[in-house]
CSV table of all heavy atoms in Angstrom, one decimal:
chain,number,residue,atom,x,y,z
B,85,LEU,N,10.3,112.6,127.9
B,85,LEU,CA,9.7,113.7,127.2
B,85,LEU,C,9.1,114.6,128.3
B,85,LEU,O,9.6,115.7,128.5
B,85,LEU,CB,8.7,113.2,126.2
B,85,LEU,CG,9.2,112.2,125.2
B,85,LEU,CD1,8.2,111.8,124.2
B,85,LEU,CD2,10.5,112.7,124.4
B,86,GLY,N,8.0,114.2,128.9
B,86,GLY,CA,7.4,114.9,130.0
B,86,GLY,C,6.7,116.2,129.6
B,86,GLY,O,6.5,117.1,130.4
B,87,ASN,N,6.2,116.2,128.3
B,87,ASN,CA,5.5,117.4,127.9
B,87,ASN,C,4.1,117.4,128.4
B,87,ASN,O,3.5,118.5,128.7
B,87,ASN,CB,5.4,117.4,126.3
B,87,ASN,CG,6.7,117.4,125.7
B,87,ASN,OD1,7.7,118.0,126.2
B,87,ASN,ND2,6.8,116.8,124.5
B,88,MET,N,3.5,116.2,128.6
B,88,MET,CA,2.2,116.1,129.2
B,88,MET,C,2.3,116.0,130.7
B,88,MET,O,1.5,116.7,131.4
B,88,MET,CB,1.5,114.8,128.7
B,88,MET,CG,1.6,114.6,127.2
B,88,MET,SD,0.1,115.0,126.3
B,88,MET,CE,0.4,114.2,124.8
B,89,VAL,N,3.2,115.2,131.2
B,89,VAL,CA,3.3,115.0,132.7
B,89,VAL,C,4.8,115.3,133.0
B,89,VAL,O,5.7,114.5,132.7
B,89,VAL,CB,3.0,113.6,133.1
B,89,VAL,CG1,3.3,113.4,134.6
B,89,VAL,CG2,1.5,113.3,132.7
B,90,ALA,N,5.0,116.6,133.5
B,90,ALA,CA,6.4,117.0,133.7
B,90,ALA,C,7.0,116.5,135.0
B,90,ALA,O,7.3,117.3,135.9
B,90,ALA,CB,6.5,118.5,133.6
B,91,HIS,N,6.9,115.2,135.1
B,91,HIS,CA,7.5,114.5,136.3
B,91,HIS,C,8.4,113.4,135.7
B,91,HIS,O,7.9,112.6,134.9
B,91,HIS,CB,6.3,113.9,137.2
B,91,HIS,CG,6.8,113.1,138.3
B,91,HIS,ND1,6.2,113.2,139.6
B,91,HIS,CD2,7.7,112.1,138.4
B,91,HIS,CE1,6.7,112.3,140.4
B,91,HIS,NE2,7.6,111.6,139.7
B,92,LEU,N,9.7,113.5,136.0
B,92,LEU,CA,10.7,112.7,135.3
B,92,LEU,C,10.3,111.2,135.2
B,92,LEU,O,10.2,110.6,136.3
B,92,LEU,CB,12.1,112.9,136.0
B,92,LEU,CG,13.2,112.2,135.3
B,92,LEU,CD1,13.5,112.7,133.9
B,92,LEU,CD2,14.5,112.3,136.2
B,93,HIS,N,10.2,110.7,134.0
B,93,HIS,CA,9.9,109.3,133.8
B,93,HIS,C,10.6,108.9,132.5
B,93,HIS,O,10.5,109.7,131.5
B,93,HIS,CB,8.4,109.0,133.8
B,93,HIS,CG,7.6,109.7,132.8
B,93,HIS,ND1,7.2,111.0,133.0
B,93,HIS,CD2,7.1,109.3,131.6
B,93,HIS,CE1,6.5,111.4,131.9
B,93,HIS,NE2,6.4,110.4,131.1
B,94,TRP,N,11.2,107.8,132.5
B,94,TRP,CA,11.9,107.3,131.3
B,94,TRP,C,11.1,106.1,130.7
B,94,TRP,O,10.8,105.1,131.3
B,94,TRP,CB,13.3,106.8,131.7
B,94,TRP,CG,14.3,107.9,131.8
B,94,TRP,CD1,14.6,108.5,133.0
B,94,TRP,CD2,15.0,108.5,130.8
B,94,TRP,NE1,15.5,109.5,132.7
B,94,TRP,CE2,15.8,109.5,131.4
B,94,TRP,CE3,15.2,108.2,129.4
B,94,TRP,CZ2,16.7,110.3,130.7
B,94,TRP,CZ3,16.0,109.0,128.7
B,94,TRP,CH2,16.8,110.0,129.3
B,95,HIS,N,10.7,106.3,129.4
B,95,HIS,CA,10.1,105.2,128.7
B,95,HIS,C,11.2,104.3,128.2
B,95,HIS,O,12.2,104.7,127.7
B,95,HIS,CB,9.4,105.8,127.4
B,95,HIS,CG,8.4,106.8,127.7
B,95,HIS,ND1,7.1,106.6,128.1
B,95,HIS,CD2,8.5,108.2,127.5
B,95,HIS,CE1,6.5,107.8,128.3
B,95,HIS,NE2,7.3,108.7,127.9
B,96,VAL,N,11.0,103.0,128.5
B,96,VAL,CA,11.9,101.9,128.0
B,96,VAL,C,11.0,101.0,127.2
B,96,VAL,O,10.2,100.2,127.8
B,96,VAL,CB,12.6,101.2,129.1
B,96,VAL,CG1,13.7,100.3,128.6
B,96,VAL,CG2,13.3,102.2,130.1
B,97,ILE,N,11.1,101.0,125.9
B,97,ILE,CA,10.2,100.3,125.0
B,97,ILE,C,10.8,99.3,124.1
B,97,ILE,O,11.8,99.6,123.4
B,97,ILE,CB,9.4,101.4,124.1
B,97,ILE,CG1,9.0,102.6,124.9
B,97,ILE,CG2,8.3,100.7,123.4
B,97,ILE,CD1,8.6,103.8,124.1
B,98,ALA,N,10.4,98.1,124.2
B,98,ALA,CA,10.8,97.0,123.3
B,98,ALA,C,10.1,97.2,121.9
B,98,ALA,O,8.9,97.1,121.9
B,98,ALA,CB,10.6,95.6,123.8
B,99,ARG,N,10.9,97.5,120.9
B,99,ARG,CA,10.3,97.7,119.5
B,99,ARG,C,10.6,96.5,118.6
B,99,ARG,O,11.7,95.9,118.8
B,99,ARG,CB,10.8,99.0,118.9
B,99,ARG,CG,10.5,100.2,119.7
B,99,ARG,CD,9.0,100.5,119.8
B,99,ARG,NE,8.4,100.5,118.5
B,99,ARG,CZ,8.4,101.5,117.6
B,99,ARG,NH1,9.0,102.6,117.9
B,99,ARG,NH2,7.8,101.4,116.5
B,100,TYR,N,9.7,96.2,117.7
B,100,TYR,CA,9.8,95.0,116.8
B,100,TYR,C,9.6,95.6,115.4
B,100,TYR,O,8.8,96.5,115.2
B,100,TYR,CB,8.8,94.0,117.1
B,100,TYR,CG,9.1,93.3,118.5
B,100,TYR,CD1,8.4,93.8,119.6
B,100,TYR,CD2,9.9,92.3,118.6
B,100,TYR,CE1,8.6,93.2,120.8
B,100,TYR,CE2,10.2,91.7,119.8
B,100,TYR,CZ,9.5,92.2,120.9
B,100,TYR,OH,9.8,91.6,122.2
B,101,ASP,N,10.3,95.0,114.5
B,101,ASP,CA,10.2,95.5,113.1
B,101,ASP,C,8.8,95.2,112.5
B,101,ASP,O,8.5,95.7,111.5
B,101,ASP,CB,11.3,94.9,112.2
B,101,ASP,CG,11.4,93.4,112.2
B,101,ASP,OD1,10.5,92.8,112.7
B,101,ASP,OD2,12.4,92.9,111.7
B,102,TRP,N,8.0,94.3,113.2
B,102,TRP,CA,6.7,94.1,112.7
B,102,TRP,C,5.6,94.9,113.5
B,102,TRP,O,4.4,94.9,113.2
B,102,TRP,CB,6.3,92.6,112.9
B,102,TRP,CG,6.6,92.0,114.3
B,102,TRP,CD1,7.7,91.3,114.6
B,102,TRP,CD2,5.9,92.2,115.5
B,102,TRP,NE1,7.7,90.9,116.0
B,102,TRP,CE2,6.6,91.5,116.5
B,102,TRP,CE3,4.7,92.9,115.8
B,102,TRP,CZ2,6.1,91.4,117.8
B,102,TRP,CZ3,4.2,92.8,117.1
B,102,TRP,CH2,4.9,92.1,118.1
B,103,ASP,N,6.1,95.7,114.4
B,103,ASP,CA,5.0,96.5,115.2
B,103,ASP,C,4.4,97.6,114.3
B,103,ASP,O,5.0,97.9,113.3
B,103,ASP,CB,5.5,96.9,116.6
B,103,ASP,CG,6.5,98.1,116.6
B,103,ASP,OD1,6.3,99.1,115.8
B,103,ASP,OD2,7.4,98.2,117.5
B,104,SER,N,3.3,98.1,114.7
B,104,SER,CA,2.5,99.0,113.9
B,104,SER,C,3.2,100.2,113.5
B,104,SER,O,2.8,100.9,112.5
B,104,SER,CB,1.2,99.3,114.6
B,104,SER,OG,1.4,99.8,115.9
B,105,HIS,N,4.2,100.7,114.2
B,105,HIS,CA,4.8,102.0,114.0
B,105,HIS,C,6.3,101.9,113.6
B,105,HIS,O,6.9,102.9,113.2
B,105,HIS,CB,4.7,102.8,115.3
B,105,HIS,CG,3.4,103.3,115.6
B,105,HIS,ND1,2.3,102.4,115.7
B,105,HIS,CD2,2.9,104.5,115.9
B,105,HIS,CE1,1.2,103.2,116.1
B,105,HIS,NE2,1.6,104.4,116.1
B,106,PHE,N,6.9,100.7,113.6
B,106,PHE,CA,8.3,100.6,113.3
B,106,PHE,C,8.6,101.0,111.8
B,106,PHE,O,7.8,100.5,111.0
B,106,PHE,CB,8.8,99.2,113.6
B,106,PHE,CG,10.3,99.1,113.8
B,106,PHE,CD1,10.9,99.3,115.0
B,106,PHE,CD2,11.1,98.9,112.7
B,106,PHE,CE1,12.3,99.3,115.1
B,106,PHE,CE2,12.5,98.8,112.8
B,106,PHE,CZ,13.1,99.0,114.0
B,107,PRO,N,9.6,101.7,111.5
B,107,PRO,CA,10.7,102.2,112.4
B,107,PRO,C,10.4,103.6,112.9
B,107,PRO,O,11.3,104.3,113.4
B,107,PRO,CB,11.9,102.3,111.4
B,107,PRO,CG,11.3,102.7,110.1
B,107,PRO,CD,9.9,102.0,110.1
B,108,GLY,N,9.1,104.1,112.8
B,108,GLY,CA,8.8,105.3,113.4
B,108,GLY,C,8.7,105.2,115.0
B,108,GLY,O,8.8,104.1,115.5
B,109,ALA,N,8.7,106.3,115.6
B,109,ALA,CA,8.5,106.4,117.1
B,109,ALA,C,7.1,105.9,117.4
B,109,ALA,O,6.2,105.9,116.6
B,109,ALA,CB,8.7,107.8,117.6
B,110,VAL,N,6.9,105.4,118.7
B,110,VAL,CA,5.6,105.0,119.1
B,110,VAL,C,4.6,106.2,119.1
B,110,VAL,O,3.4,106.0,119.0
B,110,VAL,CB,5.6,104.3,120.5
B,110,VAL,CG1,6.5,103.1,120.5
B,110,VAL,CG2,6.0,105.3,121.6
B,111,TRP,N,5.1,107.4,119.1
B,111,TRP,CA,4.2,108.6,119.1
B,111,TRP,C,3.9,109.0,117.7
B,111,TRP,O,3.1,109.9,117.5
B,111,TRP,CB,4.9,109.7,119.9
B,111,TRP,CG,5.2,109.3,121.3
B,111,TRP,CD1,4.3,109.3,122.3
B,111,TRP,CD2,6.5,108.9,121.8
B,111,TRP,NE1,5.0,108.8,123.4
B,111,TRP,CE2,6.3,108.6,123.1
B,111,TRP,CE3,7.8,108.7,121.2
B,111,TRP,CZ2,7.4,108.1,123.9
B,111,TRP,CZ3,8.8,108.2,122.0
B,111,TRP,CH2,8.6,108.0,123.3
B,112,ALA,N,4.5,108.5,116.7
B,112,ALA,CA,4.3,108.8,115.3
B,112,ALA,C,3.1,108.1,114.7
B,112,ALA,O,2.5,107.2,115.4
B,112,ALA,CB,5.6,108.5,114.5
B,113,PRO,N,2.6,108.5,113.5
B,113,PRO,CA,1.5,107.7,113.0
B,113,PRO,C,1.9,106.3,112.7
B,113,PRO,O,3.0,106.0,112.4
B,113,PRO,CB,1.2,108.5,111.7
B,113,PRO,CG,1.9,109.8,111.8
B,113,PRO,CD,3.1,109.6,112.7
B,114,ALA,N,0.9,105.4,112.7
B,114,ALA,CA,1.1,104.0,112.5
B,114,ALA,C,1.5,103.8,111.0
B,114,ALA,O,1.1,104.6,110.1
B,114,ALA,CB,-0.2,103.2,112.7
B,115,GLN,N,2.3,102.8,110.8
B,115,GLN,CA,2.8,102.5,109.4
B,115,GLN,C,2.1,101.3,108.8
B,115,GLN,O,2.2,101.0,107.6
B,115,GLN,CB,4.3,102.3,109.4
B,115,GLN,CG,5.0,103.4,110.1
B,115,GLN,CD,6.3,103.7,109.5
B,115,GLN,OE1,6.7,103.1,108.5
B,115,GLN,NE2,7.1,104.7,110.0
B,116,ARG,N,1.4,100.5,109.7
B,116,ARG,CA,0.8,99.3,109.2
B,116,ARG,C,-0.2,98.8,110.3
B,116,ARG,O,-0.2,99.4,111.4
B,116,ARG,CB,1.8,98.2,108.9
B,116,ARG,CG,2.6,97.7,110.2
B,116,ARG,CD,3.7,96.7,109.8
B,116,ARG,NE,4.8,97.4,109.1
B,116,ARG,CZ,5.7,98.2,109.7
B,116,ARG,NH1,5.7,98.3,111.0
B,116,ARG,NH2,6.6,98.8,109.0
B,117,GLU,N,-1.0,97.8,109.9
B,117,GLU,CA,-2.0,97.3,110.9
B,117,GLU,C,-1.2,96.6,112.1
B,117,GLU,O,-0.1,96.1,111.9
B,117,GLU,CB,-2.8,96.1,110.2
B,117,GLU,CG,-3.7,96.6,109.1
B,117,GLU,CD,-4.9,97.3,109.6
B,117,GLU,OE1,-5.6,96.7,110.4
B,117,GLU,OE2,-5.1,98.5,109.2
Side-chain angles (χ1 to χ4, degrees):
Chain B
L85 307 180
N87 303 330
M88 311 259 197
V89 177
H91 175 135
L92 182 63
H93 58 284
W94 281 93
H95 305 281
V96 185
I97 315 166
R99 300 296 310 280
Y100 295 93
D101 55 11
W102 50 259
D103 77 35
S104 53
H105 288 53
F106 198 89
V110 300
W111 303 281
Q115 309 214 0
R116 65 189 67 81
E117 296 285 305

